[in-house]
Amino acid sequence: MTEGTNMAVTATPGGGTIVMDLQGRLHTLAGSGGNARPFGDPLLDPFWPRLSPDGRDVAVQSFADGMFHIWTVSLRTGAARQLTQGEYDDLQPAWSPDGSKIAFSSTREGSGDIWTVDVRTGRLDRITTAGAQETQPTWSPDGKSIAYVRSNVIESIDLATGAVKTLVAARPGTVAAPSWSPDGGKIAFLRSETGARRLKVASTPDREQAVGDLTDVYPFPPAWLSAEEILYAGNGKVVVSKAADGQTRQVPFSATFVLNRPVYERKEYDFDSSRRRPVRGIVGPALSPDGRTVLYKALNDLWVQPVSSHGHGHGHGHGQARKLTDDHFYEIDAVWSRDGKKIAYASDKAGTMDIWVREVANGKERRVTSLAGAEIAPAWSPDGRRLAFQNQGGKTFVVSADGGDPAEVLGTRSAPGRPSWSADGRTLALSVSSASRNQIELVNVEAKTSKVVEPAPWRSISVRGDDGPAWSPDGRWFAFIMETTLWVLPVNPDGTPAGKARQLTHKPSDAPSWSGDSKTLLYLENGELRTISRDGGRSRSIETGVDYSPAQPKGRVVIHAGKMWDGKSESLRENVDITVVGNRIQDVRPHRPGPHPRGWKVIDASDRTVLPGLIDIHYHQQLQSKFYGDRQGRLLLSYGITTTRSTGDQAYRAVEDREAAQAGARIGPRHFLTGEMLEGSRLSWDFARPVMNERQLDLEFSRAKALDFDLMKTYMRFPHRLQAEVAQRGHRLGIPTTSHYLHPGIAFGVDQQEHLSGPTRWGFGFSRNASQGVMYEDVVKLFGQGGFPLTTTMFASSALLADDPGMVEDPRIKSLYTGWEQDILVGELKCAQGTGPCGSLSGNAVAAERAVAQLKKVLAAGGTVLAGTDGPLDNPAVSLHLNLRSMVKYGIAPFKALQSATVLNARALGIEHDLGSVERGKLADLMFVEGDPLADIGTLANVRGVMTNGALHDVPDLLEPFSGERQAPASPTKLVAPEPSEADHTH
C-alpha cells in the first residue's frame, strides 16, 4: 500500500528517519521516503507516536494492558517499556527538550489535566489543576512551558510560575494537535472548519495562516524538521511543507501487510429436526420467599418451578414446571411479593408494556400502570404496598400496588438495571453507568436524592439488567454478578458498603435472587438453575423439566409467482412455481397451470414478486425487546426481514427469543445470536460485559458453548491480545468473531468488521478506517484483498426519507412502531427535509453519498459489503430498506445491493447452503412484494407477505393484534396449565 488512513508521523532531529503509525503498527521510513518497515510488538496498539530528542525511543500511548498508558519503544530493538499504570487513561505523550520527562494528559484527578512522568524514575507530577479539560500537550523548546488544548483555545502554562497565557485564540472551527516550533516563536496546529481539517501556523494568538493544500490533515501533532519545515500526514500522503510559503513536497512510501486469514470448519445447524431439546433461555428467575418455587420466563411465557423438581421430562408428572401464562403476549420481569401471595410482571397484553399484579391463590389480575410508553422491571416494596418500576426512557418510578399516579424518584439513566428495595423500604438500589463502569446507585425514595457506590474498587457489575444488585430481604447484603461470577457484598441499611465483596461461585453465573430468609441465592449457570447458600457452602442444581421441539410444518405448498428473483441472477424470472414441502423448497420450475395433487395448498402470487427473505446482519434484537414486546418480531417480518443476527445482546434474553421463535411460541424472524459484547474494564452499553483477563475469558467461552452462541463480538476497549484469543477460541467452536477494528484483527483471524467507521476506543471522532468519512488505499486494500466483509450500518441513510415521506404513514409504522419510535421517525423525516432539528444519529444526503462512495471502493477492490442496520438504534426494519436505497441511489447496482441483504449475509452466517436464495433444497424463507426491486429498489418495501420456515404470514395478520386498542383477556389464565396435547410444541 502507498497511502495511509489517519496515520501519524514523527521524525528524528533533522528528519533523517520518520516513524509512522500505519494501521496500528509502528514503521520506520527514511526521511526521503521508500519502503516503510514495521518494528515493535504487533499487538502493542500504539497511538500518538513522538520521537525522543536523541532519536532513540518513540513515546506512545498504548492500550496493551487494557487502559491507555504511556510507553516507550526502542527504535533499535523494538522493545517496549511501560512508564505509567493504574486505572486511568494517560494520553498524548510529548517529550521534554532534554528527553528526561514526558508530558501527557490524564484523567487521574478528574476531567483531564496535563501531567509529566520522569522517564528514568517514573515520578509523576500534575501540571494543570484548572478543573477544565486540558489535552494534547507540547513542550516549549526551552523546556520552561507546556502548551495544550483547552476547549477551542491553545494555552501554555509556565512551569515555574503557573502563569497561563493564550497562544491561539478561539475562533470558528476546532483546534487540535499543537506543536511548538524549534525557535519557540510559532505554534503549528490543526483547525477543523467547514468539512476540512487544515494545517495552520500561528505566531500570535490572533494571527494564523494555512500551510499547504491538504484538506484532510490527520489529527496528530505535526513534527518540525527545522525552523521552517513541517512534517505531517493527510489525504493519504506523508508531506513536508514550509511554514513561510506553504511549499509542499511529498515523502513517498510503500508498506506491506501480511494477513493470516482464518480457515476453519463452521458450526453446523439442524434446521429440519423436531427433536426435543431442553430450554436454556431462562430469563429473570426469581426465588419465592419460602425458597420452594422459582418463577421465570421461557418460551414466551411465565413458568413456576418447584425447587424440589428432579429429573427431566416433557412437563408431565409431579413437581415439574408449569405455565403461569399461556398466550402469545410478551411477559417479562416477574417478581414475587415479600409474602409470596402476589406476583408482579410486565406485559403488552393491553397494547403497550404495563405492570400487572396477579394473586397466586386464585389467578386474579389487575393492571397497575397504563402510561403512554412502556413500564417494565417491577419491584415490590417490603410491605407490599408499593411497586417500583422503570420506563423506556430509563426513569425510575414508584406507584401504589393498587394503581394510581406514579411518582418519579430517579431521572433518566442509560439502560439502568432492575431496582431492588432496602429492608426498611426507604431506598432503591440499581445498577447504572457511572464513570464508564456499572456501579450501584442508591436512591432515597422520599427525598428523591441518590448517590453511587462501587461494587468493588474499579470494578463493574457484569451487566446492567438482571445481574443485580439484588438486596437481601434482611437488608444486610447485595448479591450481584461481577467478573462473570456471583458475589455478595455486606451493606448498611442505606446500601452503603459495610465491607468487601466476597466471591461465591467460580463458574459462569447470572441473574441472582434471594430466598425470604436471606440465606439462599438462586442464579443461572450456563442455562441451568442453581441455588447456593449465602456463605457459599451448599450448592445444588434445579432441573426445570422444560423442553421444546422446533415447529416444523408438514404441508405441501405450491407458490405461483408472477415474478421471482432467486438471489443470484441479475434479472427476474417470470411465471414460476415454487414447490415447498415442509420447511424447504422442493422445486423451482416454470408455472404449470392446472390442478395440483390433492391436499396441496396453492398460494396465488401471480401479481407479486417472490424473493429470498432479507437478512439484517447487525441487529441488537434484545436492546429494546422489553419495550417493544410482541411488536418487534411482527415488525421485522412485515418488512420482509426473515433473519437477524445479533451483534451484542443480553444473552439469556437472546436465547429465549431464539427458542421461542423456533418453538412457534413467538412470531418473529430466525435469530442468530451472541451474548453481551466482550469489553474491557471500561464500558457504556448495558449489553457489554467487562472482561478482565484470560481466566474470565475461560468463563465466557464456557457460557458461549453452553448457550450455543453463533458469534463472538468484541467491543471498543477490548485489548487486541485478548481479541486474538477470542478469534482462535471462537473458531474452535465453529463461530466467527467481529469487531469495530480492521487491523490488526484482520491479521490474526478476526472474521469481519461492523460499521465503516463506528465508535472505537479513541471515541466517535477517530477511526483508522476513515478520515472525515473517507478511506484511503490502505483500508481499501485490506478490505478488498483480505476477505474481510464490512457491514453497512449507514445511519445517514435516513436522509432518504425525504424521497419517500409516505414511509412514516405506512400502516406497519402506525401499528407496530411504538409511540416514541414513531416520534423519532417523524423527527428523522423533518431532519431529512430540512424542516426540523437533526439528532446525533440523523443522516444527511452528503454523508450518505460519501458512505456509499467508500462502499463502492471496497466492492471495486474485490471486497464484500453486508447489509446491516444497528437497529433498533437506527429505525427498526425501515433502516434496512433505507440502507439498500442509499446504495442504489448513489451508484451500486440494485442486484448487488439486494445480494448484500440475502445471499452474502447467508454466506457470512455460514448457512449459504440453507438460506439467502430461492433454490431447490433451501429453507422456505421468502418475501412477497408488489413491484420489481431490480428496477426500483423502493418497491422492496411493498411487502405483502412473508414465509418463514415454510409458514406463511400475511402482513395484515401481522398487524392485526396492534391495529386497534388491544384488550386484555376477559378471564385470567389458570395458574396450573392444562395437560398439553400431542400437537403442542412447548411443554
Side-chain angles (χ1 to χ4, degrees):
M1 51 193 65
T2 58
E3 288 184 343
T5 304
N6 265 335
M7 57 185 169
V9 292
T10 184
T12 56
T17 299
I18 294 172
V19 171
M20 59 196 304
D21 165 12
L22 180 62
Q23 287 301 321
R25 186 75 196 272
L26 293 176
H27 291 72
T28 58
L29 175 69
S32 58
N35 184 39
R37 299 182 180 276
F39 72 99
D41 183 348
L43 297 180
L44 181 63
D45 199 5
F47 193 72
W48 206 271
R50 306 304 290 161
L51 261 166
S52 60
D54 61 11
R56 295 180 179 180
D57 296 291
V58 185
V60 298
Q61 68 178 63
S62 167
F63 201 71
D65 75 343
M67 294 293 290
F68 284 118
H69 288 300
I70 306 304
W71 294 57
T72 59
V73 183
S74 168
L75 201 61
R76 182 177 64 85
T77 67
R81 177 185 171 216
Q82 185 172 356
L83 297 183
T84 67
Q85 52 274 320
E87 298 288 345
Y88 312 94
D89 279 336
D90 300 326
L91 313 168
Q92 303 147 351
W95 291 90
S96 63
D98 62 4
S100 65
K101 295 181 179 180
I102 295 174
F104 60 95
S105 63
S106 178
T107 59
R108 289 170 178 269
E109 296 291 342
S111 61
D113 297 296
I114 305 302
W115 291 67
T116 62
V117 58
D118 188 291
V119 175
R120 184 177 62 85
T121 67
R123 172 179 168 172
L124 295 172
D125 289 296
R126 187 181 181 186
I127 305 302
T128 64
T129 59
Q133 188 172 32
E134 296 99 13
T135 63
Q136 307 168 53
T138 180
W139 223 297
S140 64
D142 60 11
K144 296 180 179 180
S145 301
I146 295 175
Y148 52 84
V149 174
R150 181 185 61 80
S151 186
N152 198 29
V153 173
I154 297 176
E155 296 178 339
S156 70
I157 183 169
D158 187 289
L159 297 178
T161 67
V164 174
K165 66 179 180 179
T166 298
L167 302 182
V168 177
R171 54 171 294 179
T174 58
V175 297
S179 179
W180 228 313
S181 64
D183 61 8
K186 295 183 283 292
I187 286 279
F189 63 98
L190 277 56
R191 186 177 290 280
S192 298
E193 49 191 350
T194 61
R197 187 166 52 228
R198 306 286 300 273
L199 176 64
K200 298 288 186 80
V201 171
S203 54
T204 67
D206 298 311
R207 184 177 180 180
E208 61 186 59
Q209 67 181 55
V211 175
D213 59 359
L214 299 188
T215 58
D216 184 19
V217 177
Y218 301 147
F220 302 99
W224 291 84
L225 304 183
S226 67
E228 280 299 317
E229 287 195 315
I230 307 172
L231 172 74
Y232 59 105
N235 293 82
K237 307 169 185 177
V238 177
V239 299
V240 176
S241 293
K242 291 186 176 180
D245 57 16
Q247 290 187 37
T248 301
R249 60 181 171 87
Q250 185 175 347
V251 181
F253 76 91
S254 64
T256 300
F257 283 78
V258 178
L259 310 181
N260 187 8
R261 301 300 296 131
V263 177
Y264 61 99
E265 189 173 338
R266 290 295 293 265
K267 170 183 173 179
E268 293 186 359
Y269 292 91
D270 180 2
F271 296 111
D272 305 298
S273 172
S274 295
R275 173 184 57 83
R276 303 201 71 83
R277 54 202 71 185
V279 159
R280 290 288 179 262
I282 299 171
V283 178
L287 188 59
S288 62
D290 62 9
R292 297 179 179 181
T293 308
V294 181
L295 172 67
Y296 56 86
K297 176 179 182 172
L299 298 173
N300 203 42
D301 278 305
L302 299 180
W303 298 72
V304 286
Q305 164 74 52
V307 170
S308 59
S309 172
H310 297 285
H312 195 275
H314 300 328
H316 303 282
H318 176 71
Q320 296 296 325
R322 298 198 180 270
K323 286 186 178 182
L324 181 65
T325 61
D326 190 5
D327 52 46
H328 280 275
F329 303 131
Y330 191 96
E331 297 101 9
I332 196 71
D333 295 341
V335 288
W336 302 91
S337 61
R338 292 286 177 95
D339 60 9
K341 295 180 179 181
K342 298 184 178 95
I343 288 169
Y345 65 97
S347 173
D348 65 354
K349 65 178 70 180
T352 60
M353 295 299 291
D354 302 302
I355 306 301
W356 293 74
V357 167
R358 180 188 185 98
E359 296 182 22
V360 173
N362 57 26
K364 290 182 178 180
E365 292 191 331
R366 64 178 182 274
R367 183 182 178 190
V368 176
T369 66
S370 55
L371 302 180
E375 299 90 61
I376 61 164
W380 290 95
S381 64
D383 60 9
R385 295 179 180 179
R386 294 173 294 170
L387 285 162
F389 68 90
Q390 294 161 340
N391 73 351
Q392 79 282 353
K395 294 181 177 181
T396 303
F397 299 81
V398 171
V399 67
S400 167
D402 295 323
D405 294 329
E408 180 182 325
V409 297
L410 185 67
T412 299
R413 298 293 185 269
S414 176
R418 295 168 65 178
S420 185
W421 288 85
S422 63
D424 59 15
R426 296 178 178 178
T427 308
L428 289 171
L430 62 157
S431 59
V432 297
S433 178
S434 177
S436 298
R437 289 178 286 136
N438 292 336
Q439 301 188 55
I440 300 169
E441 188 156 11
L442 303 171
V443 184
N444 184 306
V445 173
E446 298 303 322
K448 299 179 182 178
T449 58
S450 69
K451 59 183 174 182
V452 174
V453 298
E454 295 179 306
W458 300 108
R459 291 296 178 257
S460 283
I461 289 176
S462 286
V463 178
R464 302 196 307 275
D466 298 331
D467 278 357
W471 214 324
S472 62
D474 65 8
R476 298 174 58 194
W477 303 89
F478 281 153
F480 48 77
I481 308 302
M482 185 170 67
E483 298 181 10
T484 316
T485 56
L486 175 61
W487 297 66
V488 290
L489 174 71
V491 295
N492 297 309
D494 65 351
T496 54
K500 293 183 179 181
R502 179 164 50 88
Q503 186 176 358
L504 294 189
T505 66
H506 297 275
K507 292 185 178 180
S509 307
D510 283 281
S513 70
W514 291 91
S515 61
D517 61 6
S518 302
K519 294 181 178 179
T520 303
L521 281 156
L522 172 79
Y523 64 100
L524 285 165
E525 180 187 297
N526 284 350
E528 297 182 352
L529 291 166
R530 294 191 67 86
T531 59
I532 191 169
S533 60
R534 190 185 62 220
D535 61 7
R538 297 188 307 277
S539 177
R540 59 177 294 192
S541 63
I542 305 170
E543 293 193 39
T544 67
V546 180
D547 56 18
Y548 72 100
S549 61
Q552 301 290 3
K554 304 298 183 184
R556 297 169 178 262
V557 179
V558 174
I559 303 168
H560 175 202
K563 296 179 180 179
M564 186 197 77
W565 180 62
D566 62 9
K568 295 185 174 181
S569 305
E570 296 191 40
S571 60
L572 300 180
R573 291 174 59 180
E574 297 192 3
N575 219 20
V576 174
D577 281 347
I578 305 168
T579 303
V580 177
V581 177
N583 66 334
R584 289 195 180 263
I585 298 170
Q586 186 183 67
D587 201 7
V588 181
R589 64 176 60 189
H591 173 60
R592 292 184 298 183
H596 294 281
R598 185 175 181 179
W600 284 61
K601 180 179 179 180
V602 178
I603 297 175
D604 182 5
S606 58
D607 59 347
R608 302 283 186 260
T609 301
V610 179
L611 305 88
L614 302 178
I615 302 171
D616 190 334
I617 201 81
H618 188 124
Y619 197 86
H620 299 283
Q621 193 149 308
Q622 308 314 312
L623 180 60
Q624 296 190 28
S625 60
K626 280 189 171 188
F627 309 132
Y628 280 104
D630 190 36
R631 281 181 161 89
Q632 180 168 238
R634 293 172 179 271
L635 173 67
L636 293 166
L637 291 180
S638 75
Y639 278 91
I641 300 168
T642 57
T643 298
T644 58
R645 186 194 69 174
S646 167
T647 45
D649 275 314
Q650 295 199 14
Y652 283 94
R653 297 183 202 171
V655 176
E656 189 276 337
D657 207 357
R658 177 176 64 189
E659 292 177 345
Q662 288 176 343
R666 178 174 300 137
I667 294 176
R670 294 182 191 275
H671 188 41
F672 294 83
L673 63 85
T674 187
E676 297 81 16
M677 305 181 296
L678 301 185
E679 181 60 294
S681 62
R682 300 295 182 269
L683 70 162
S684 54
W685 292 104
D686 58 310
F687 54 91
R689 178 177 288 262
V691 175
M692 310 305 295
N693 47 45
E694 285 84 352
R695 180 199 61 77
Q696 192 182 346
L697 207 56
D698 291 340
L699 300 179
E700 292 301 326
F701 270 90
S702 168
R703 190 167 174 263
K705 182 177 181 180
L707 299 183
D708 197 22
F709 285 11
D710 301 301
L711 176 76
M712 299 303 294
K713 168 79 176 290
T714 62
Y715 203 50
M716 291 163 52
R717 291 177 68 98
F718 196 72
H720 286 318
R721 62 182 176 84
L722 290 182
Q723 187 186 46
E725 182 73 15
V726 167
Q728 295 171 13
R729 293 190 187 198
H731 295 163
R732 290 199 287 269
L733 294 179
I735 61 176
T737 296
T738 190
S739 78
H740 287 194
Y741 300 100
L742 175 57
H743 191 271
I746 189 174
F748 57 60
V750 176
D751 294 85
Q752 71 171 83
Q753 181 183 309
E754 309 302 314
H755 316 293
L756 171 64
S757 183
T760 67
R761 53 175 141 269
W762 306 287
F764 281 90
F766 181 87
S767 166
R768 285 193 168 109
N769 301 337
S771 178
Q772 301 190 99
V774 177
M775 61 173 63
Y776 295 92
E777 184 193 49
D778 55 338
V779 174
V780 173
K781 283 191 172 182
L782 285 170
F783 278 125
Q785 298 180 25
F788 205 65
L790 171 65
T791 304
T792 57
T793 62
M794 288 187 289
F795 284 82
S797 67
S798 64
L800 272 73
L801 284 168
D803 297 344
D804 187 5
M807 290 188 83
V808 304
E809 299 296 329
D810 190 288
R812 291 168 291 185
I813 300 300
K814 294 297 186 181
S815 296
L816 297 178
Y817 260 43
T818 62
W820 64 90
E821 285 289 355
Q822 291 185 40
D823 292 341
I824 291 172
L825 189 62
V826 170
E828 295 278 10
L829 172 60
K830 290 179 179 180
C831 167
Q833 294 175 323
T835 60
C838 296
S840 60
L841 296 179
S842 297
N844 63 74
V846 173
E849 184 173 11
R850 184 172 58 234
V852 174
Q854 310 317 305
L855 300 180
K856 289 164 67 177
K857 290 180 184 179
V858 171
L859 292 172
T864 300
V865 170
L866 307 177
T869 65
D870 215 358
L873 293 171
D874 203 354
N875 301 308
V878 169
S879 56
L880 184 59
H881 290 269
L882 294 177
N883 270 246
L884 299 178
R885 291 184 187 188
S886 294
M887 293 166 70
V888 173
K889 180 174 182 176
Y890 298 116
I892 295 175
F895 162 69
K896 292 289 187 182
L898 286 169
Q899 281 200 319
S900 76
T902 52
V903 66
L904 294 179
N905 277 351
R907 183 177 302 161
L909 289 169
I911 52 170
E912 186 182 5
H913 59 290
D914 289 299
L915 283 177
S917 60
V918 185
E919 297 180 86
R920 178 184 177 88
K922 292 290 185 77
L923 292 165
D925 284 16
L926 308 169
M927 60 187 299
F928 301 76
V929 306
E930 189 175 307
D932 178 0
L934 287 179
D936 179 2
I937 193 67
T939 65
L940 187 67
N942 299 337
V943 180
R944 300 296 178 254
V946 291
M947 179 174 280
T948 57
N949 205 49
L952 182 67
H953 302 277
D954 289 328
V955 169
D957 293 338
L958 294 172
L959 273 57
E960 190 276 330
F962 295 95
S963 58
E965 180 66 22
R966 199 181 217 180
Q967 298 297 319
S971 58
T973 307
K974 292 182 179 180
L975 176 63
V976 179
E979 290 297 314
S981 69
E982 291 300 316
D984 285 337
H985 290 287
T986 63
H987 301 273

